[in-house]
């Protein structure tokens, strides 16, 4: 279950509140850099994401294709036939993923102690949840114009992940 949680956090974050307070869809690209202690270069992956009223679709396109779906309160992975296969044990983390992508500070405040970071436009999130605090020291969430621009996940073992987001303009998003 912990491994699935890490995969969901690492592949996805970019995960989302489907409720009516979300006024518009979000479509964009992401790049993810995973840094391992003792290695000088990160493992880099990239892809696209789509968030609408019904689901979050997180598709890694490089170095391998992998698609994660969050819909109806469940986490799914698309198999080779394009079918969504439910991932047992991941449902409890859906709200966390959604809150990070949508920058829902009220929801994040339930699972984290929030404070301003030294970097302008960023917040430092310290896990309150026991499982999260065993896995991560902190999250850094940086926003601009109401969109999450970067998330950094700091682990206890000096490994960390940085995810960058690039949002497509509404007109460009409609074409996709």
């Amino acid at each position: 279950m912990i491994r699935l949680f890490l995969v969901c956090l690492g592949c996805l974050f970019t995960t989302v509140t489907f409720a009516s307070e979300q006024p518009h869809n979000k479509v964009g690209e992401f790049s993810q850099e995973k840094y391992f202690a003792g290695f000088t270069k990160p493992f880099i992956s990239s892809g696209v994401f789509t968030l609408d009223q019904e689901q979050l679709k997180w598709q890694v396109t490089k170095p391998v294709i992998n698609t994660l779906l969050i819909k109806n309160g469940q986490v799914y992975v698309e198999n080779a036939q394009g079918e969504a296969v439910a991932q047992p044990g991941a449902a409890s983390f859906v709200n966390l993923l959604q809150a990070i992508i949508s920058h829902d500070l009220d929801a994040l405040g339930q699972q984290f102690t929030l404070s301003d970071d030294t970097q302008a436009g960023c917040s430092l999130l310290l896990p309150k949840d026991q499982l999260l605090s065993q896995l991560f020291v902190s999250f850094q969430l940086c926003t601009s114009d109401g969109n999450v621009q970067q998330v950094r996940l700091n682990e206890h073992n000096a490994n960390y992940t940085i995810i960058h987001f690039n949002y497509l303009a509404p007109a460009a998003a409609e074409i996709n």
Side-chain angles (χ1 to χ4, degrees), residues 66-81:
N66 183 24
T67 302
L68 180 75
L69 300 169
I70 298 176
K71 62 181 178 180
N72 302 325
Q74 295 291 320
V75 177
Y76 301 87
V77 173
E78 248 179 43
N79 65 18
Q81 293 76 36

Side-chain angles (χ1 to χ4, degrees), residues 20 25 172:
S20 59
N25 298 342

Side-chain angles (χ1 to χ4, degrees), residues 15-174:
T15 63
V16 164
T17 300
F18 305 121
S20 59
E21 74 260 19
Q22 184 132 324
H24 53 352
N25 298 342
K26 294 189 181 210
V27 176
E29 301 168 333
F30 67 88
S31 65
Q32 179 175 304
E33 303 165 2
K34 175 69 178 181
Y35 293 85
F36 294 97
F39 292 89
T40 57
K41 294 188 179 203
F43 175 77
I44 299 174
S45 58
S46 60
V48 295
F49 66 94
T50 304
L51 171 63
D52 60 34
Q53 296 296 324
E54 296 179 20
Q55 71 179 12
L56 168 65
K57 184 174 185 177
W58 183 265
Q59 185 174 39
V60 177
T61 57
K62 291 180 184 175
V64 295
I65 296 175
N66 183 24
T67 302
L68 180 75
L69 300 169
I70 298 176
K71 62 181 178 180
N72 302 325
Q74 295 291 320
V75 177
Y76 301 87
V77 173
E78 248 179 43
N79 65 18
Q81 293 76 36
E83 303 164 329
V85 179
Q87 300 300 295
S92 60
F93 302 112
V94 170
N95 292 335
L96 172 61
L97 301 176
Q98 294 171 339
I100 288 172
I101 293 297
S102 62
H103 196 232
D104 183 344
L105 294 179
D106 291 334
L108 290 170
Q110 294 174 15
Q111 295 185 33
F112 296 92
T113 300
L114 306 171
S115 64
D116 289 336
D117 197 345
T118 55
Q119 186 175 337
C122 297
S123 299
L124 184 64
L125 290 70
L126 302 173
K128 293 179 187 176
D129 178 81
Q130 185 177 5
L131 177 59
L132 280 176
S133 64
Q134 289 174 2
L135 299 171
F136 298 100
V137 174
S138 64
F139 292 17
Q140 181 192 46
L141 195 63
C142 299
T143 62
S144 177
D145 297 325
N147 288 318
V148 174
Q149 298 297 314
Q150 177 179 296
V151 176
R152 178 178 168 138
L153 312 170
N154 298 302
E155 300 174 35
H156 289 282
N157 56 9
N159 297 341
Y160 62 95
T161 302
I162 299 175
I163 304 169
H164 302 275
F165 296 92
N166 181 29
Y167 298 87
L168 300 178
E174 291 175 14

